[in-house]
Amino acid sequence: MTVSRWAYNDAADGSIEVGQTSDPTPVPVPTPSTLALLAAGAFGVRRWRAQRAAA
C-alpha cells in the first residue's frame, strides 16, 4: 500500500471528506474590475517608462 496524499483536521469533532485536499472554505476570486485596474496600472507604468526612455 502506498500513501500518496494525507490530511489532518485540527478542529474538534471535524471530519475529512473523501477527496478533500484543502480547507473547505471558498477562496475569494478577484472581480474583473480589479483585474482591469491592475492591467490599466501596468499599461500606464509601461507607457510612462517608454516616454522617459525616449526623452
Side-chain angles (χ1 to χ4, degrees):
M1 179 162 116
T2 304
V3 177
S4 59
R5 293 184 183 187
W6 58 274
Y8 69 95
N9 190 353
D10 57 357
D13 296 329
S15 63
I16 298 174
E17 299 294 325
V18 174
Q20 180 179 340
T21 58
S22 64
D23 189 21
T25 57
V27 177
V29 177
T31 60
S33 60
T34 304
L35 297 176
L37 286 172
L38 181 63
F43 176 75
V45 168
R46 184 176 179 194
R47 186 172 179 181
W48 175 69
R49 289 185 69 179
Q51 287 178 350
R52 277 188 69 190

